Amino acid sequence: MRYSKQRELVMQQVETLRDHPTAEEIYQHALKECPGLSLGTVYRNLNSLVEAGRVRRVSIPGQPDRFDHTLPWHGHLYCTCCGQVEDLDLDPGLVRQLLSGQPGRITDCVVTWIGLCERCSRQSEPAPAAAP
Amino acid sequence: MRYSKQRELVMQQVETLRDHPTAEEIYQHALKECPGLSLGTVYRNLNSLVEAGRVRRVSIPGQPDRFDHTLPWHGHLYCTCCGQVEDLDLDPGLVRQLLSGQPGRITDCVVTWIGLCERCSRQSEPAPAAAP
DNA sequence: CTTATTGCAAAACGTTTGCAGGTTT
DNA sequence: AAACCTGCAAACGTTTTGCAATAAG
């Protein structure tokens, strides 16, 4: 894979916007530092970065994909109130136990909690962004 | 909610095609019994059936939604070889343990295994359908 | 008679792709 | 010079929507 200004910019955005940005959000922020950048290029680079293992893709049902700079395996919590996605540290031992006895060969495991984040569940000071 | 022939037909297809069909698959099968049925109607009815709690939606990252007649909570295994989705019985106690200590109020939990089903992992007699 | 539901077609949405020109090695 | 990467715009596959017509209560 060759160096490109655009790809490194996309990588940098995933790292600085640490809150699981979507391709569109990454594009909007990157545009400020690289006018003329195209959304297609952002998508293409996100795909190569995911394939290269430098970025993780986070899929929430019914929503555009998000991208995560945290590489080690973890789960996610999608807050239906503020729309934010939080990392979830899950005991890998328990996950392995959950899987034990299941037939087949597993290569990945997606665990997504749907509900309210801590802030929204306290019903005060709801986070700014609106849920889609 | 009013009775409609189309909605009951969609419901019936989800129940008889027990293998997590997509909207398109449900449409193709239902068409045989109700010529003139439209795909938009299938989507609308699947949405109302999910909302009414008579059907479950199963989302696999990067794939069209599937629909499940099994209502009690369970996980899913998506086989990257044959493309099939299998139900996964997961110990609810372990799932509750996984969640314990996490902040927030959880309303749903999506657990999806990605890998090979038992049949494909035995590397013999792969299931008919091709992975997308 | 009222209103939910339908078929149809068009649009919305997130994402991918073909192409001609520009960049990296 | 060869290969890769870009911007652009068009196309993609899935899903939703506006509409006038139909069917249910």
Side-chain angles (χ1 to χ4, degrees), chain A residues 1 13 16-17 24 32-33 37 52-53 68 72 78-79 90 96 120:
Chain A
M1 201 196 292
Q13 293 300 329
T16 58
L17 303 166
E24 179 68 36
K32 295 177 198 158
E33 275 168 59
L37 174 67
D68 194 343
Y78 171 65
C79 176
L90 299 172
R96 229 170 289 122
C120 289

Tab-separated table of all heavy atoms in Angstrom, chain A residues 1 13 16-17 24 32-33 37 52-53 68 72 78-79 90 96 120:
chain	number	residue	atom	x	y	z
A	1	MET	N	0.834	-1.208	0.000
A	1	MET	CA	0.000	0.000	0.000
A	1	MET	C	0.869	1.259	0.000
A	1	MET	O	1.775	1.396	0.810
A	1	MET	CB	-0.899	0.015	1.252
A	1	MET	CG	-2.124	0.915	1.111
A	1	MET	SD	-2.906	1.298	2.683
A	1	MET	CE	-3.547	-0.299	3.155
A	13	GLN	N	-8.103	11.340	11.416
A	13	GLN	CA	-9.432	11.745	11.885
A	13	GLN	C	-10.054	10.667	12.767
A	13	GLN	O	-10.695	10.970	13.771
A	13	GLN	CB	-10.370	12.039	10.704
A	13	GLN	CG	-9.990	13.258	9.890
A	13	GLN	CD	-9.967	14.534	10.703
A	13	GLN	OE1	-10.724	14.687	11.663
A	13	GLN	NE2	-9.082	15.449	10.353
A	16	THR	N	-8.351	11.102	16.111
A	16	THR	CA	-8.628	12.283	16.933
A	16	THR	C	-10.103	12.394	17.305
A	16	THR	O	-10.433	12.729	18.431
A	16	THR	CB	-8.146	13.573	16.245
A	16	THR	OG1	-8.775	13.700	14.972
A	16	THR	CG2	-6.649	13.554	16.038
A	17	LEU	N	-10.991	12.104	16.331
A	17	LEU	CA	-12.410	11.967	16.680
A	17	LEU	C	-12.552	10.576	17.287
A	17	LEU	O	-12.756	9.618	16.569
A	17	LEU	CB	-13.289	12.020	15.426
A	17	LEU	CG	-13.213	13.221	14.521
A	17	LEU	CD1	-13.898	12.914	13.200
A	17	LEU	CD2	-13.866	14.410	15.190
A	24	GLU	N	-19.209	9.871	6.746
A	24	GLU	CA	-19.634	11.241	6.470
A	24	GLU	C	-19.018	12.231	7.460
A	24	GLU	O	-18.544	13.307	7.074
A	24	GLU	CB	-21.166	11.309	6.532
A	24	GLU	CG	-21.769	12.674	6.279
A	24	GLU	CD	-21.586	13.167	4.851
A	24	GLU	OE1	-21.637	12.337	3.923
A	24	GLU	OE2	-21.377	14.390	4.666
A	32	LYS	N	-11.930	20.128	5.969
A	32	LYS	CA	-11.349	21.390	6.437
A	32	LYS	C	-9.847	21.428	6.207
A	32	LYS	O	-9.280	22.491	5.976
A	32	LYS	CB	-11.607	21.568	7.944
A	32	LYS	CG	-13.086	21.726	8.288
A	32	LYS	CD	-13.250	21.832	9.809
A	32	LYS	CE	-14.683	21.547	10.232
A	32	LYS	NZ	-14.763	21.127	11.656
A	33	GLU	N	-9.219	20.245	6.306
A	33	GLU	CA	-7.769	20.212	6.158
A	33	GLU	C	-7.329	19.831	4.755
A	33	GLU	O	-6.147	19.883	4.445
A	33	GLU	CB	-7.167	19.232	7.173
A	33	GLU	CG	-6.946	19.891	8.520
A	33	GLU	CD	-6.636	18.881	9.592
A	33	GLU	OE1	-5.637	18.157	9.438
A	33	GLU	OE2	-7.402	18.805	10.589
A	37	LEU	N	-11.196	17.174	-1.173
A	37	LEU	CA	-11.289	15.751	-0.840
A	37	LEU	C	-12.662	15.235	-1.223
A	37	LEU	O	-13.656	15.942	-1.082
A	37	LEU	CB	-11.083	15.588	0.675
A	37	LEU	CG	-11.274	14.195	1.258
A	37	LEU	CD1	-10.204	13.244	0.753
A	37	LEU	CD2	-11.269	14.248	2.782
A	52	ALA	N	-6.330	-3.403	6.278
A	52	ALA	CA	-4.955	-3.433	6.780
A	52	ALA	C	-4.906	-3.617	8.298
A	52	ALA	O	-3.838	-3.729	8.878
A	52	ALA	CB	-4.235	-2.146	6.386
A	53	GLY	N	-6.069	-3.587	8.932
A	53	GLY	CA	-6.107	-3.796	10.379
A	53	GLY	C	-5.728	-2.572	11.185
A	53	GLY	O	-5.440	-2.668	12.365
A	68	ASP	N	-13.545	2.836	14.279
A	68	ASP	CA	-13.040	2.788	15.635
A	68	ASP	C	-11.524	2.646	15.600
A	68	ASP	O	-10.987	1.804	14.892
A	68	ASP	CB	-13.674	1.562	16.322
A	68	ASP	CG	-13.509	1.582	17.819
A	68	ASP	OD1	-12.652	2.331	18.315
A	68	ASP	OD2	-14.231	0.828	18.499
A	72	PRO	N	-8.005	-3.690	19.886
A	72	PRO	CA	-8.321	-4.928	20.596
A	72	PRO	C	-9.838	-5.165	20.652
A	72	PRO	O	-10.612	-4.209	20.731
A	72	PRO	CB	-7.763	-4.696	22.008
A	72	PRO	CG	-6.797	-3.584	21.880
A	72	PRO	CD	-7.276	-2.741	20.747
A	78	TYR	N	-24.855	1.143	22.022
A	78	TYR	CA	-25.476	2.204	21.227
A	78	TYR	C	-26.589	2.828	22.051
A	78	TYR	O	-27.534	2.151	22.452
A	78	TYR	CB	-26.041	1.635	19.924
A	78	TYR	CG	-26.878	2.658	19.196
A	78	TYR	CD1	-26.296	3.815	18.685
A	78	TYR	CD2	-28.243	2.482	19.046
A	78	TYR	CE1	-27.057	4.769	18.038
A	78	TYR	CE2	-29.016	3.431	18.393
A	78	TYR	CZ	-28.414	4.569	17.898
A	78	TYR	OH	-29.168	5.516	17.261
A	79	CYS	N	-26.471	4.112	22.313
A	79	CYS	CA	-27.472	4.807	23.118
A	79	CYS	C	-28.584	5.332	22.214
A	79	CYS	O	-28.349	6.171	21.348
A	79	CYS	CB	-26.841	5.948	23.907
A	79	CYS	SG	-28.083	6.885	24.832
A	90	LEU	N	-15.639	-6.046	27.726
A	90	LEU	CA	-16.322	-7.280	28.090
A	90	LEU	C	-15.292	-8.339	28.434
A	90	LEU	O	-14.300	-8.494	27.727
A	90	LEU	CB	-17.180	-7.750	26.926
A	90	LEU	CG	-18.269	-6.762	26.498
A	90	LEU	CD1	-18.943	-7.232	25.222
A	90	LEU	CD2	-19.288	-6.582	27.616
A	96	ARG	N	-15.716	-16.249	25.814
A	96	ARG	CA	-15.278	-17.576	25.396
A	96	ARG	C	-16.204	-18.662	25.954
A	96	ARG	O	-16.534	-19.622	25.280
A	96	ARG	CB	-13.817	-17.813	25.829
A	96	ARG	CG	-12.947	-18.340	24.691
A	96	ARG	CD	-11.475	-18.348	25.056
A	96	ARG	NE	-10.910	-16.997	25.123
A	96	ARG	CZ	-10.322	-16.482	26.201
A	96	ARG	NH1	-10.208	-17.188	27.316
A	96	ARG	NH2	-9.836	-15.257	26.164
A	120	CYS	N	-27.487	9.362	29.712
A	120	CYS	CA	-28.906	9.458	29.374
A	120	CYS	C	-29.774	8.698	30.367
A	120	CYS	O	-30.921	9.075	30.600
A	120	CYS	CB	-29.164	8.969	27.959
A	120	CYS	SG	-28.512	10.092	26.694
